[in-house]
Amino acid sequence: MNWTLLNETNPEDGVRLTYKGGSSCRKRNTPEVIKETNETWKDTERIFEIELECDRQLGADANSFITDLINSGATIQVEERSPPDECHYIMRWRSQYACPIQGVTLSSMGNTLFRWLFLAAVCAIVFALIINLGAFKRRYRQFSNGEFNGFADFVTHLISDISGSKPGRRSSKQSSHMI
């Protein structure tokens, strides 16, 4: 089996799947071959092609899936080629699945990258808090008792506990909340 585009310059037309090597078929030779070989018939392998034609209208409405499925089935055409190409069968089928998918845009890549980076940052923060659970509990207790100048002061001390460094600027309430 191999596949090709129906139109190399326009992928929107659809794709062709070709199956070769089917069961044997009696095929009439061309008049030229009959003259040369004196043989009217020859055995050849069957060829079956499926031409999936792009139809973006099918599948455009998610609520009409069953109707689209029935309609796409109604668009199936099967033909056998006429001599000298008999034993070659073609099935044509319109479907939204033969249409090229939309490419990846810079915007969609940016959104995906942002989501992954955000998720990585959240995981890193949660991991760091789990590793330093004792320090987090102690700092939260101090925050609840009002020993910090505000939430930013609480976060600064918590980060310093996690990173192992001392906070840069000390508040006026230094004595009770410093470890």
Side-chain angles (χ1 to χ4, degrees):
M1 195 255 338
N2 71 0
W3 71 273
T4 57
L5 295 172
L6 291 176
N7 179 351
E8 293 294 328
T9 60
N10 185 11
E12 192 73 23
D13 287 352
V15 295
R16 176 184 295 116
L17 305 171
T18 304
Y19 295 89
K20 294 183 178 181
S23 60
S24 181
C25 176
R26 299 278 293 164
K27 179 177 177 178
R28 184 172 178 85
N29 281 324
T30 61
E32 297 82 26
V33 173
I34 293 172
K35 254 186 197 177
E36 286 179 23
T37 63
N38 204 20
E39 293 181 12
T40 308
W41 300 96
K42 75 175 181 178
D43 288 330
T44 186
E45 295 177 332
R46 296 179 196 270
I47 298 173
F48 186 71
E49 289 182 353
I50 302 172
E51 293 183 354
L52 298 167
E53 299 170 352
C54 173
D55 186 345
R56 291 201 182 273
Q57 296 303 316
L58 295 173
D61 182 11
N63 295 327
S64 62
F65 172 75
I66 299 297
T67 306
D68 285 345
L69 186 62
I70 293 168
N71 288 340
S72 73
T75 66
I76 297 175
Q77 301 169 347
V78 179
E79 70 177 62
E80 180 179 8
R81 289 206 171 158
S82 57
D85 293 321
E86 65 264 36
C87 302
H88 188 152
Y89 307 92
I90 301 172
M91 180 180 84
R92 289 184 183 87
W93 190 350
R94 282 186 359 209
S95 172
Q96 72 269 27
Y97 301 111
C99 302
I101 59 172
Q102 299 302 318
V104 177
T105 64
L106 189 57
S107 174
S108 67
M109 280 181 22
N111 288 339
T112 302
L113 181 61
F114 174 77
R115 287 179 183 158
W116 280 106
L117 289 175
F118 181 75
L119 181 62
V122 168
C123 288
I125 291 169
V126 168
F127 180 73
L129 289 176
I130 290 172
I131 296 296
N132 296 295
L133 192 59
F136 176 73
K137 285 180 179 179
R138 184 173 44 257
R139 293 296 184 187
Y140 183 75
R141 199 171 35 254
Q142 290 172 334
F143 178 72
S144 298
N145 293 336
E147 297 178 22
F148 291 107
N149 287 333
F151 185 73
D153 193 27
F154 163 72
V155 170
T156 303
H157 282 85
L158 189 59
I159 290 172
S160 70
D161 289 344
I162 292 170
S163 66
S165 64
K166 293 185 179 182
R169 205 172 103 193
R170 305 230 168 138
S171 66
S172 60
K173 299 181 183 179
Q174 298 177 17
S175 59
S176 63
H177 68 279
M178 303 310 283
I179 296 178

